[in-house]
Amino acid sequence: MNKTVNINLANILFHIDEDAYNRMKRYLESVKRSFANTPGSDEILADIEARIAELFHEKLANDRQVITSKVVDEVIAIMGQPEDYIVDEDIFEDEPRKNTTEAKRVKKLYRDVDKKYVAGVSAGLAHYVGIEAIWVRILWLALTFFSGGGFILIYGLLWILIPEAKTTAEKLDMRGEDVNISNIERKVKEGFDDVAERVKNVDYEKVGNKVKSSSKTFFDTIGDIIMFFFKIFGKFMGILLILAGGIGLLAMLVALFTAGVFDNVHVGPLNLYELVDATNTPLWLVVVCTFFLGAIPLFFLMYLGLKILITNLKSIGSVAKFTLLGLWLLSLIFFIVLGVQQATSRAFWDTTAITNEYPLANQNDTLNIVLNSNEVYWKRKQMNLGDLMVSFDDEGNEILVSNDVRFSFKTSTDSLMRVEVKKNANGSTFSNARETAEKINYTYSISGNTINFNDFLITDRENKFKNQEVKVVVYIPKGTLLNYSGFGKDWWALDLQRNDFPEDAKISDFTYKMNANDSVICTNCPEKEVNISNENNKVKINANGIDINLNDNGEKGSIKIDKNGIDINIEDTNDKGKIKIDENGIDIDIKDNRESFKMKIDENGVNVNN
């Protein structure tokens, strides 16, 4: 059973057994004697004690564990013996130093506040990559300019996440130099006056052990090459993650402050305005939760990229991590609840229909069908809710206006014209859907042989967006002439093939006639015509028939088929031929240089001349 002693080393309390305590006490006294006449010895000793305290703390599993002689020996091996180092002024002479077999330390990323302009980020990055700080600052300025100021956010995050090099050992780490008694003393002498409470951890294997051999086997070299490329790939992935996360965060910030400017903002299949409308949730709350839902994963994505590139990146802390995770989970649950509420508010669909009959004032007059637009309400538009837009009526009351109005024209079974208006809507129940449909306000008017339809529907704002729509079916007596105004190029309303008309043609450019089987016939539409021609040949197909003309090196031919019959002409340098088939019969006439041949077949019989 060993006796334990409580010691205070660099303001940290440790439990150490008596043998280990005596050994550590002798070591520190030896170190103190070595630096007795050295300028800045107090700061050097404070740094050494802080470093030893940190090594003790790292080697203990918990605060109650006792430091043994073995742990003390390991720490002394890392720090080195005082007699192993030159501690006089000769260390600063320009004479060549003895080569050491100790492994070269890996640099760590810190902010160099001694050479800072803003926060020391650029100076720290310059030490890490081994270039002058001026080039890093120029690169920051260029990236900030071309990103419209976006890289200022990344600089701020690096400012927060990269630790400041405060102690002598941290500044040695920043330059990739070994943290031992000799280098601590040398850096203090060179002017590092701001010694802090602790020294960052070192790699025990690289600092405490010497390189056993400078030679490597072939397979060791191959392994190093493979590891090198893995590290390069890892750094590349880190850069990609930083760029993806940073750009995504900038986009989310822009979306946060511009919500409400755009007509539609979606989170996956959910429209934010539809959520607000269906659930009565404040828009600002929906927007903030949307920001948390997207920005928090992007932040951790960028943080992961920084961790890959910066091995000693300062942690944001468990409190911050769990807080962000909690906000993200709350936002996710928030949208799940809203999505369920939105879905249930529109789970059912129902229709209400009204049909009215009208005798035409004059069956022989043209029925004028006029379509009126919602230009007034469009000018008063506040925002969109899917297919609906929020607008105001003449009294200033908020209303919902939609262009979801469709028309179809069918043949009436008698001489009466009928107008059927079908109103459709969603609801939480069938009765709620029917009630919502009945509250749709859709009007039309008839004056003589003119019927005016609106291409929009209106409903009160309190009825909310529930996919309200109107379908108008007009039954028109067969043979009625029709004229459409305001339909533009919506040929689907008449069930006509658009490609049969000129490109700029509108429905109102022509007159139509109601036919049987719910079809409409255009009475003055242009006929479809096909023209194929080159330098010598031409093919024309239109309402008049087929006309083909051929010309090939002196040989000519034509074929014409129309209501008059078939007319074929063939002609070359020496020969001519003609065939005509019409209602009078068949007439064939062929000539060459020596002979001529004629044949005529008609009601009188066959007549041949040779």
Side-chain angles (χ1 to χ4, degrees), residues 248-271:
L249 276 176
L250 289 175
M252 292 300 299
L253 284 172
V254 172
L256 176 65
F257 293 105
T258 57
V261 175
F262 304 104
D263 289 341
N264 289 283
V265 182
H266 292 268
V267 178
L270 301 177
N271 185 311

Side-chain angles (χ1 to χ4, degrees), residues 572-584:
D572 62 15
T573 305
N574 301 314
D575 303 325
K576 296 182 179 180
K578 179 179 180 182
I579 301 176
K580 186 175 183 179
I581 303 174
D582 55 19
E583 59 183 2
N584 297 321

Side-chain angles (χ1 to χ4, degrees), residues 187-200:
K187 284 302 178 184
V188 170
K189 282 187 173 184
E190 287 177 349
F192 286 102
D193 297 324
D194 53 342
V195 180
E197 295 179 356
R198 65 185 182 88
V199 182
K200 288 296 289 184

